[in-house]
Amino acid sequence: MKITVKVGTSTLTHKTGRLNIRRVEELCKVLSDVKNAGHDIVLVSSGAIGMGVGKLNMADKPQDMPTKQAAAAVGQCELMYVYDNLFQEYNHTVGQILITGEDLADSVRHENFTNTLNRLLELGALPIINENDTIATSEIAVGDNDTLGALVAASVKSDLFIVLTDIDGLYTADPRRDPNAQLISEVTEITKEMLQGAGGQGSSLGTGGMATKLSAAKIAMDAGVDMIIVNGASPEIIYDAVDGRSVGTRFIAKK
Ligand code: GLU
């Protein structure tokens, strides 16, 4: 299978913005193992801004554009350094691609991007993609990596798009506020009620929340790609998702 995995800042870092070492080590180990089993993996990773915040010892996530972009410039290096080292331990080679919404909107650039991705996979490498946050102002940015991940999964015609986040999946209500909220295990259509109940931003350092995940699910489903939202707290859950066991929330693609 060709599998696109999106990992969010809340999964990769502690609230301080510093790396969650145990988590990231486990993530790289599981992804390496899934790759060893014969699957192609494309990783869409957030964390540039969050890790930049940690590395630059900032107290909070910056709000102004130049500081966010500076944090991303520092954090993206750190992020790839960590991935390069950890995947190297399992003999996998990573390649970095940074893009903006403009690149995907332009048909020639989009095609170049897809060709590079496919060639990296043919060469046995593990592509790691993020938005190019150092130049992507709001006018040209995709804006969040849930959407970016779905666009990537659609571009390379993934069989599965796995979104690792900090809750177990889509609930009937916000489980952080409503104790009666129930996990929805399968979704065949994104309804208005779901979009209304999705709320805003999820974590303090990341960008997305359930709303961006639902719009990402719509992109994936329309493109014929199944998407699964799971809790990234234990990356071993990726094995269950790949093996087709019922975990998190699965959005069934339109076929
Ligand atoms: N590209 C951003 C980063 O690496 C993350 C965007 C998102 O969290 O959706 O910090």
Coordinates of all heavy atoms in Angstrom, one line a residue, residues 62-140:
P62 N 4.9 32.5 18.8 CA 4.8 33.9 18.4 C 3.5 34.1 17.5 O 3.0 33.2 16.9 CB 6.0 34.1 17.5 CG 6.5 32.7 17.1 CD 6.0 31.8 18.2
Q63 N 3.0 35.4 17.5 CA 1.8 35.7 16.8 C 2.1 36.4 15.5 O 1.4 36.3 14.5 CB 0.8 36.5 17.6 CG 0.3 35.8 18.8 CD -0.3 34.4 18.5 OE1 -1.0 34.3 17.5 NE2 -0.1 33.4 19.3
D64 N 3.2 37.1 15.4 CA 3.5 37.9 14.2 C 4.3 37.1 13.2 O 5.0 36.2 13.5 CB 4.4 39.2 14.6 CG 5.7 38.8 15.1 OD1 5.8 38.2 16.2 OD2 6.7 39.0 14.4
M65 N 4.0 37.4 12.0 CA 4.5 36.6 10.8 C 6.0 36.4 10.8 O 6.5 35.3 10.8 CB 4.0 37.2 9.5 CG 4.1 36.4 8.3 SD 3.4 34.7 8.5 CE 1.7 35.0 8.2
P66 N 6.8 37.5 10.9 CA 8.3 37.3 10.8 C 8.9 36.4 11.9 O 9.7 35.6 11.7 CB 8.9 38.7 10.9 CG 7.8 39.6 10.5 CD 6.5 38.9 11.0
T67 N 8.3 36.5 13.1 CA 8.9 35.7 14.2 C 8.4 34.2 14.0 O 9.2 33.3 14.2 CB 8.4 36.2 15.6 OG1 8.5 37.6 15.6 CG2 9.2 35.6 16.7
K68 N 7.2 34.0 13.5 CA 6.7 32.7 13.3 C 7.6 32.0 12.2 O 8.0 30.9 12.3 CB 5.3 32.7 12.7 CG 4.2 32.5 13.7 CD 2.9 32.1 12.9 CE 1.8 33.0 13.5 NZ 0.6 32.9 12.8
Q69 N 7.9 32.9 11.2 CA 8.7 32.3 10.1 C 10.2 32.1 10.5 O 10.8 31.1 10.1 CB 8.7 33.3 8.9 CG 7.2 33.3 8.3 CD 7.0 34.2 7.1 OE1 7.6 35.3 7.1 NE2 6.2 33.8 6.2
A70 N 10.7 32.9 11.4 CA 12.0 32.7 11.9 C 12.0 31.4 12.8 O 12.9 30.6 12.7 CB 12.5 33.9 12.7
A71 N 11.0 31.2 13.6 CA 10.9 30.0 14.4 C 10.8 28.8 13.5 O 11.5 27.7 13.8 CB 9.7 30.1 15.3
A72 N 10.1 28.9 12.4 CA 9.9 27.7 11.5 C 11.3 27.4 10.8 O 11.6 26.3 10.6 CB 8.9 28.1 10.4
A73 N 12.1 28.5 10.5 CA 13.4 28.2 9.8 C 14.3 27.4 10.8 O 15.0 26.5 10.3 CB 14.0 29.6 9.5
V74 N 14.3 27.8 12.0 CA 15.1 27.1 13.0 C 14.5 25.7 13.3 O 15.2 24.7 13.3 CB 15.1 27.9 14.4 CG1 15.8 27.1 15.5 CG2 15.9 29.2 14.1
G75 N 13.2 25.6 13.5 CA 12.6 24.4 13.8 C 12.6 23.3 12.7 O 12.7 22.1 13.0
Q76 N 12.5 23.8 11.5 CA 12.5 22.8 10.4 C 13.8 22.1 10.3 O 13.8 20.9 10.0 CB 12.2 23.5 9.0 CG 12.1 22.6 7.8 CD 10.9 21.7 7.9 OE1 9.8 22.0 8.4 NE2 11.0 20.5 7.3
C77 N 14.9 22.8 10.6 CA 16.2 22.1 10.6 C 16.3 21.1 11.7 O 16.7 19.9 11.4 CB 17.3 23.1 10.9 SG 17.7 24.3 9.7
E78 N 15.8 21.4 12.8 CA 15.8 20.5 14.0 C 15.0 19.3 13.7 O 15.4 18.2 13.9 CB 15.3 21.3 15.2 CG 15.1 20.5 16.4 CD 16.3 20.3 17.3 OE1 17.4 20.7 16.8 OE2 16.2 19.8 18.4
L79 N 13.8 19.6 13.1 CA 12.9 18.5 12.8 C 13.5 17.5 11.8 O 13.5 16.3 12.1 CB 11.7 19.1 12.1 CG 10.4 18.3 11.9 CD1 9.9 17.9 13.3 CD2 9.3 19.2 11.2
M80 N 14.1 18.0 10.8 CA 14.7 17.1 9.8 C 16.0 16.4 10.3 O 16.3 15.2 10.0 CB 15.1 17.8 8.5 CG 13.8 18.2 7.6 SD 12.7 16.8 7.3 CE 13.7 15.7 6.3
Y81 N 16.7 17.1 11.2 CA 17.9 16.5 11.8 C 17.5 15.3 12.7 O 18.1 14.2 12.6 CB 18.6 17.6 12.7 CG 19.7 17.0 13.5 CD1 21.0 16.8 12.9 CD2 19.6 16.7 14.8 CE1 22.0 16.3 13.6 CE2 20.7 16.2 15.6 CZ 21.9 16.0 15.0 OH 22.9 15.5 15.7
V82 N 16.4 15.5 13.4 CA 15.9 14.4 14.2 C 15.4 13.2 13.4 O 15.7 12.0 13.6 CB 14.7 14.9 15.1 CG1 13.9 13.8 15.8 CG2 15.2 15.9 16.2
Y83 N 14.6 13.5 12.3 CA 14.1 12.4 11.5 C 15.2 11.7 10.8 O 15.2 10.5 10.7 CB 13.1 13.0 10.4 CG 11.7 13.3 10.9 CD1 11.1 14.5 10.6 CD2 11.0 12.3 11.6 CE1 9.8 14.7 11.1 CE2 9.7 12.5 12.1 CZ 9.1 13.7 11.8 OH 7.8 14.0 12.2
D84 N 16.2 12.5 10.2 CA 17.3 11.9 9.5 C 18.0 10.9 10.4 O 18.3 9.8 10.0 CB 18.2 13.0 9.0 CG 19.2 12.6 7.9 OD1 18.9 11.5 7.3 OD2 20.2 13.2 7.7
N85 N 18.3 11.3 11.6 CA 19.0 10.5 12.6 C 18.2 9.2 12.9 O 18.7 8.1 12.9 CB 19.3 11.2 13.8 CG 20.6 12.0 13.7 OD1 21.6 11.5 13.2 ND2 20.6 13.3 14.1
L86 N 16.9 9.4 13.3 CA 16.1 8.3 13.7 C 15.9 7.3 12.6 O 16.0 6.1 12.8 CB 14.8 8.8 14.4 CG 15.0 9.5 15.7 CD1 13.7 10.0 16.2 CD2 15.7 8.6 16.8
F87 N 15.5 7.8 11.4 CA 15.2 6.8 10.3 C 16.5 6.1 9.9 O 16.5 5.0 9.5 CB 14.5 7.5 9.2 CG 13.1 7.8 9.4 CD1 12.5 9.0 9.5 CD2 12.2 6.7 9.5 CE1 11.2 9.2 9.7 CE2 10.8 6.8 9.7 CZ 10.3 8.1 9.8
Q88 N 17.6 6.8 10.0 CA 18.9 6.3 9.7 C 19.2 5.0 10.5 O 19.8 4.0 10.0 CB 20.0 7.3 9.9 CG 21.4 7.0 9.3 CD 21.3 6.7 7.8 OE1 20.8 7.5 7.1 NE2 21.9 5.6 7.4
E89 N 18.8 5.1 11.8 CA 19.0 3.9 12.6 C 18.4 2.7 12.1 O 18.8 1.6 12.4 CB 18.4 4.2 14.0 CG 19.2 5.0 14.9 CD 18.7 5.0 16.3 OE1 18.1 4.0 16.8 OE2 18.8 6.1 17.0
Y90 N 17.3 2.8 11.3 CA 16.6 1.7 10.7 C 16.9 1.6 9.2 O 16.2 0.9 8.5 CB 15.1 1.8 11.0 CG 14.8 1.8 12.5 CD1 14.5 3.1 13.1 CD2 14.9 0.7 13.3 CE1 14.3 3.1 14.4 CE2 14.7 0.8 14.6 CZ 14.4 2.0 15.2 OH 14.2 2.1 16.5
N91 N 18.0 2.3 8.8 CA 18.5 2.2 7.4 C 17.5 2.7 6.4 O 17.4 2.3 5.3 CB 18.7 0.7 7.1 CG 20.0 0.5 6.3 OD1 20.7 1.5 6.1 ND2 20.2 -0.7 5.8
H92 N 16.8 3.8 6.8 CA 15.9 4.5 5.8 C 16.4 5.9 5.6 O 16.9 6.5 6.5 CB 14.5 4.5 6.3 CG 13.8 3.1 6.2 ND1 13.7 2.4 5.1 CD2 13.3 2.3 7.2 CE1 13.1 1.3 5.3 NE2 12.9 1.2 6.6
T93 N 16.3 6.3 4.3 CA 16.8 7.6 3.9 C 15.6 8.5 3.7 O 14.7 8.2 3.0 CB 17.5 7.4 2.5 OG1 18.6 6.4 2.7 CG2 18.1 8.7 2.0
V94 N 15.8 9.7 4.3 CA 14.7 10.7 4.1 C 15.0 11.7 3.1 O 16.2 12.0 2.8 CB 14.4 11.4 5.5 CG1 13.9 10.3 6.5 CG2 15.5 12.2 6.0
G95 N 13.9 12.3 2.5 CA 14.1 13.5 1.6 C 13.1 14.5 2.0 O 12.0 14.2 2.3
Q96 N 13.5 15.8 2.1 CA 12.6 16.9 2.5 C 12.0 17.6 1.3 O 12.7 18.0 0.4 CB 13.4 17.9 3.3 CG 12.6 19.1 3.7 CD 13.5 20.2 4.3 OE1 13.4 20.3 5.5 NE2 14.3 20.9 3.6
I97 N 10.7 17.8 1.4 CA 10.1 18.7 0.4 C 9.2 19.7 1.2 O 8.4 19.4 2.0 CB 9.1 17.9 -0.6 CG1 9.8 16.7 -1.2 CG2 8.6 18.9 -1.7 CD1 9.0 16.0 -2.2
L98 N 9.5 21.0 0.9 CA 8.7 22.1 1.5 C 7.9 22.8 0.4 O 8.5 23.2 -0.6 CB 9.7 23.1 2.2 CG 10.6 22.5 3.3 CD1 11.5 23.6 3.8 CD2 9.7 22.0 4.4
I99 N 6.6 22.9 0.6 CA 5.8 23.5 -0.5 C 4.8 24.5 0.1 O 4.6 24.6 1.3 CB 5.0 22.5 -1.3 CG1 4.2 21.6 -0.3 CG2 5.9 21.7 -2.2 CD1 3.2 20.8 -1.1
T100 N 4.2 25.3 -0.8 CA 3.2 26.2 -0.3 C 1.9 25.9 -1.1 O 2.0 25.2 -2.1 CB 3.6 27.7 -0.7 OG1 3.7 27.8 -2.1 CG2 4.9 28.1 0.0
G101 N 0.8 26.5 -0.8 CA -0.4 26.4 -1.5 C -0.3 26.8 -3.0 O -0.9 26.2 -3.9
E102 N 0.5 27.8 -3.2 CA 0.7 28.3 -4.6 C 1.4 27.2 -5.5 O 1.1 27.1 -6.6 CB 1.7 29.5 -4.5 CG 1.0 30.7 -5.1 CD 2.0 31.9 -5.2 OE1 3.2 31.8 -4.9 OE2 1.5 33.0 -5.5
D103 N 2.3 26.4 -4.8 CA 2.9 25.4 -5.6 C 1.9 24.3 -6.1 O 2.0 23.8 -7.2 CB 4.0 24.7 -4.8 CG 5.1 25.6 -4.4 OD1 5.5 26.5 -5.2 OD2 5.6 25.5 -3.2
L104 N 0.9 24.1 -5.2 CA -0.1 23.0 -5.5 C -1.1 23.6 -6.5 O -1.7 22.8 -7.3 CB -0.7 22.5 -4.2 CG 0.2 21.8 -3.3 CD1 -0.5 21.4 -2.0 CD2 0.7 20.5 -3.9
A105 N -1.3 24.9 -6.4 CA -2.3 25.5 -7.3 C -1.8 25.6 -8.7 O -2.6 25.6 -9.7 CB -2.7 26.9 -6.8
D106 N -0.5 25.7 -8.9 CA 0.1 25.9 -10.2 C 0.3 24.5 -10.8 O 1.0 23.6 -10.2 CB 1.5 26.6 -10.1 CG 2.2 26.8 -11.4 OD1 2.7 25.8 -12.0 OD2 2.2 27.9 -11.9
S107 N -0.3 24.2 -12.0 CA -0.3 22.8 -12.5 C 1.1 22.3 -12.8 O 1.4 21.1 -12.5 CB -1.2 22.7 -13.7 OG -0.8 23.5 -14.7
V108 N 2.0 23.1 -13.3 CA 3.3 22.6 -13.6 C 4.1 22.3 -12.3 O 4.7 21.3 -12.2 CB 4.1 23.7 -14.4 CG1 5.5 23.2 -14.7 CG2 3.4 23.9 -15.8
R109 N 4.0 23.3 -11.4 CA 4.7 23.0 -10.1 C 4.2 21.8 -9.4 O 4.9 21.0 -8.8 CB 4.7 24.3 -9.2 CG 5.9 25.2 -9.5 CD 5.5 26.6 -9.5 NE 5.4 27.1 -8.1 CZ 5.2 28.4 -7.8 NH1 5.1 29.3 -8.8 NH2 5.1 28.8 -6.6
H110 N 2.8 21.7 -9.4 CA 2.2 20.5 -8.8 C 2.7 19.2 -9.4 O 3.0 18.3 -8.7 CB 0.7 20.7 -8.9 CG -0.1 19.7 -8.0 ND1 -1.4 19.9 -7.7 CD2 0.3 18.6 -7.4 CE1 -1.8 18.9 -6.9 NE2 -0.8 18.1 -6.7
E111 N 2.8 19.2 -10.7 CA 3.2 18.0 -11.4 C 4.7 17.7 -11.0 O 5.1 16.6 -10.8 CB 3.1 18.2 -12.9 CG 3.1 16.9 -13.6 CD 3.0 17.1 -15.1 OE1 2.3 18.0 -15.6 OE2 3.7 16.3 -15.8
N112 N 5.5 18.8 -11.0 CA 6.9 18.5 -10.6 C 7.0 17.9 -9.2 O 7.8 17.0 -8.9 CB 7.7 19.9 -10.6 CG 7.9 20.4 -12.0 OD1 7.9 19.6 -12.9 ND2 8.2 21.7 -12.1
F113 N 6.2 18.5 -8.3 CA 6.1 18.0 -6.9 C 5.7 16.5 -6.9 O 6.4 15.7 -6.2 CB 5.1 18.8 -6.1 CG 4.7 18.2 -4.8 CD1 5.5 18.2 -3.8 CD2 3.4 17.8 -4.6 CE1 5.1 17.6 -2.5 CE2 3.0 17.2 -3.4 CZ 3.8 17.2 -2.4
T114 N 4.7 16.2 -7.6 CA 4.2 14.8 -7.6 C 5.3 13.9 -8.2 O 5.5 12.8 -7.7 CB 2.9 14.7 -8.4 OG1 2.0 15.7 -7.9 CG2 2.2 13.3 -8.3
N115 N 5.9 14.3 -9.3 CA 7.0 13.5 -9.9 C 8.1 13.3 -9.0 O 8.6 12.2 -8.9 CB 7.5 14.2 -11.2 CG 6.5 14.2 -12.3 OD1 5.5 13.4 -12.3 ND2 6.7 15.0 -13.3
T116 N 8.5 14.3 -8.2 CA 9.6 14.2 -7.3 C 9.2 13.2 -6.2 O 10.0 12.3 -5.8 CB 10.0 15.5 -6.6 OG1 10.2 16.5 -7.7 CG2 11.2 15.4 -5.7
L117 N 8.0 13.3 -5.7 CA 7.5 12.4 -4.6 C 7.6 11.0 -5.1 O 8.1 10.1 -4.4 CB 6.1 12.7 -4.3 CG 5.8 13.5 -3.1 CD1 4.3 13.7 -2.9 CD2 6.4 12.8 -1.9
N118 N 7.0 10.7 -6.3 CA 7.0 9.4 -6.8 C 8.4 8.8 -7.1 O 8.6 7.7 -6.8 CB 6.1 9.3 -8.1 CG 4.6 9.3 -7.8 OD1 4.2 8.8 -6.7 ND2 3.8 10.0 -8.6
R119 N 9.3 9.7 -7.6 CA 10.6 9.2 -7.8 C 11.3 8.9 -6.5 O 12.0 7.9 -6.4 CB 11.4 10.3 -8.6 CG 12.8 9.9 -9.0 CD 12.9 8.5 -9.7 NE 12.0 8.4 -10.8 CZ 12.2 8.8 -12.1 NH1 13.3 9.3 -12.4 NH2 11.3 8.6 -13.0
L120 N 11.1 9.7 -5.5 CA 11.7 9.4 -4.1 C 11.2 8.0 -3.7 O 12.0 7.2 -3.2 CB 11.3 10.5 -3.1 CG 12.1 11.8 -3.1 CD1 11.4 12.8 -2.3 CD2 13.5 11.6 -2.6
L121 N 9.9 7.8 -3.9 CA 9.4 6.4 -3.4 C 10.0 5.3 -4.3 O 10.4 4.3 -3.7 CB 7.9 6.4 -3.6 CG 7.1 7.3 -2.6 CD1 5.6 7.3 -2.9 CD2 7.3 7.0 -1.2
E122 N 10.2 5.5 -5.6 CA 10.8 4.5 -6.4 C 12.3 4.3 -6.0 O 12.8 3.2 -6.1 CB 10.9 5.0 -7.9 CG 9.5 4.8 -8.6 CD 9.4 5.7 -9.9 OE1 10.5 6.1 -10.4 OE2 8.3 6.0 -10.3
L123 N 12.9 5.3 -5.5 CA 14.3 5.2 -5.0 C 14.4 4.6 -3.6 O 15.5 4.4 -3.1 CB 15.0 6.6 -5.1 CG 15.2 7.1 -6.4 CD1 15.6 8.6 -6.4 CD2 16.3 6.3 -7.2
G124 N 13.2 4.3 -3.0 CA 13.2 3.7 -1.7 C 13.3 4.7 -0.6 O 13.5 4.3 0.6
A125 N 13.3 6.0 -0.9 CA 13.4 7.0 0.2 C 12.1 7.3 0.8 O 11.0 6.9 0.3 CB 14.0 8.3 -0.4
L126 N 12.1 8.0 1.9 CA 10.9 8.3 2.7 C 10.8 9.8 2.6 O 11.5 10.6 3.3 CB 11.1 7.8 4.1 CG 9.9 7.7 5.0 CD1 10.1 6.8 6.2 CD2 9.3 9.0 5.4
P127 N 9.9 10.3 1.8 CA 9.7 11.8 1.7 C 9.0 12.4 2.9 O 8.1 11.8 3.4 CB 8.7 11.9 0.5 CG 8.6 10.6 -0.2 CD 9.0 9.6 0.9
I128 N 9.5 13.5 3.4 CA 8.9 14.2 4.5 C 8.6 15.6 4.0 O 9.4 16.3 3.5 CB 9.9 14.2 5.7 CG1 10.3 12.8 6.1 CG2 9.3 15.0 6.9 CD1 11.2 12.7 7.3
I129 N 7.3 15.9 4.2 CA 6.8 17.2 3.6 C 6.3 18.1 4.7 O 5.6 17.6 5.6 CB 5.6 16.8 2.6 CG1 6.2 15.9 1.5 CG2 5.0 18.0 2.0 CD1 5.2 15.1 0.8
N130 N 6.5 19.4 4.5 CA 5.9 20.4 5.4 C 5.6 21.6 4.5 O 6.1 21.7 3.4 CB 6.8 20.7 6.5 CG 6.1 21.5 7.6 OD1 4.9 21.8 7.6 ND2 6.8 21.8 8.7
E131 N 4.7 22.4 5.0 CA 4.5 23.7 4.3 C 5.8 24.5 4.4 O 6.5 24.4 5.4 CB 3.4 24.5 5.0 CG 3.1 25.8 4.3 CD 1.7 26.0 3.8 OE1 0.7 25.4 4.4 OE2 1.5 26.6 2.8
N132 N 6.2 25.3 3.4 CA 7.4 26.1 3.5 C 7.0 27.4 4.3 O 6.8 28.4 3.8 CB 7.9 26.5 2.1 CG 9.3 27.1 2.2 OD1 9.8 27.4 3.3 ND2 9.9 27.2 1.0
D133 N 7.0 27.2 5.6 CA 6.5 28.2 6.5 C 7.3 29.5 6.5 O 6.9 30.6 6.9 CB 6.5 27.7 8.0 CG 5.4 26.6 8.1 OD1 4.3 26.7 7.6 OD2 5.8 25.6 8.8
T134 N 8.6 29.4 6.1 CA 9.4 30.6 6.1 C 9.0 31.7 5.1 O 9.3 32.8 5.2 CB 10.9 30.3 5.9 OG1 11.0 29.6 4.6 CG2 11.5 29.4 7.0
I135 N 8.3 31.2 4.0 CA 7.8 32.2 3.0 C 6.3 32.2 2.8 O 5.8 33.1 2.1 CB 8.5 31.9 1.6 CG1 8.2 30.5 1.2 CG2 10.0 32.2 1.6 CD1 8.5 30.3 -0.3
A136 N 5.6 31.2 3.4 CA 4.2 31.1 3.1 C 3.4 32.0 4.0 O 3.0 31.6 5.1 CB 3.8 29.6 3.3
T137 N 3.1 33.2 3.5 CA 2.2 34.0 4.2 C 0.8 33.6 3.9 O 0.6 32.8 3.0 CB 2.3 35.5 3.8 OG1 2.3 35.5 2.3 CG2 3.7 36.1 4.2
S138 N -0.2 34.1 4.6 CA -1.6 33.5 4.5 C -2.1 33.5 3.0 O -2.9 32.6 2.7 CB -2.5 34.2 5.4 OG -2.5 35.6 5.1
E139 N -1.7 34.5 2.2 CA -2.3 34.5 0.8 C -1.9 33.3 0.0 O -2.6 32.9 -0.9 CB -1.8 35.7 0.1 CG -2.1 37.1 0.7 CD -1.0 37.5 1.7 OE1 0.1 37.6 1.3 OE2 -1.4 37.6 2.9
I140 N -0.7 32.8 0.3 CA -0.2 31.7 -0.6 C -0.1 30.3 0.1 O 0.2 29.3 -0.5 CB 1.2 32.0 -1.3 CG1 2.3 32.2 -0.2 CG2 1.1 33.2 -2.2 CD1 3.7 32.1 -0.8

